[in-house]
Amino acid sequence: MREVPVNFLAVAIAAVANYIIAAIWYGAIFSKLWQKLTGITDMKPKPVNMILVLISSFVMAYVLYHSIVFGDAYFGISGLHGGLMGGFFNWLGFIATVTLATKLYEKKPWGLWLLDNAFWLISLLVMGSILSHWIVIPLK
């Protein structure tokens, strides 16, 4: 088993990018629509929640980093194309499917599923693009 060298600066930048995209997506662009679809009117998160979201963004970027490295080793696809594929397939395999099952059981509006999944797709594509520029592929 080979050790995968992790560029933690790239992981941190991708995590912050995810956080910024979320703030713009749910705060500046779609806040009213999101509030309508969820029924949540209080958009002021507690500081501890903001920290937990940033930490979860970091963990997600760390996992995505390894997913892109694996994709390169397995499929031989690297660079921007590899980052976009990693982001897309992580979204399709984990986010879209899990949130679809949740949506069906919770009977939330389809618009909320589309809004959330569009965010996650865009965010993961951006994160994958960022990470793909800094990944050091271990020697084969």
Side-chain angles (χ1 to χ4, degrees):
M1 178 189 254
R2 286 183 224 129
E3 185 177 328
V4 176
V6 177
N7 184 328
F8 286 100
L9 176 61
V11 170
I13 290 171
V16 170
N18 175 63
Y19 193 82
I20 291 169
I21 292 167
I24 293 169
W25 188 265
Y26 290 109
I29 300 173
F30 294 114
S31 64
K32 295 208 185 313
L33 177 60
W34 182 81
Q35 287 176 332
K36 178 182 171 191
L37 293 170
T38 61
I40 296 172
T41 57
D42 180 17
M43 286 287 290
K44 296 178 184 161
K46 296 177 182 174
V48 69
N49 290 349
M50 294 171 62
I51 291 168
L52 291 174
V53 168
L54 190 55
I55 291 169
S56 68
S57 294
F58 186 86
V59 171
M60 184 174 46
Y62 181 80
V63 171
L64 183 58
Y65 185 96
H66 284 82
S67 176
I68 294 169
V69 170
F70 175 78
D72 177 69
Y74 190 76
F75 296 111
I77 300 169
S78 60
L80 180 60
H81 188 239
L84 291 173
M85 282 187 63
F88 175 78
F89 283 111
N90 274 274
W91 168 79
L92 182 63
F94 300 109
I95 304 292
T97 54
V98 171
T99 57
L100 178 61
T102 303
K103 183 261 172 267
L104 294 172
Y105 283 109
E106 292 179 353
K107 299 180 182 172
K108 299 277 185 182
W110 278 105
L112 181 59
W113 184 84
L114 291 171
L115 180 68
D116 289 342
N117 272 270
F119 157 72
W120 282 115
L121 177 60
I122 290 167
S123 184
L124 285 168
L125 291 174
V126 169
M127 290 173 70
S129 298
I130 291 168
L131 293 170
S132 68
H133 288 292
W134 280 302
I135 287 183
V136 176
I137 304 301
L139 296 175
K140 298 175 179 164

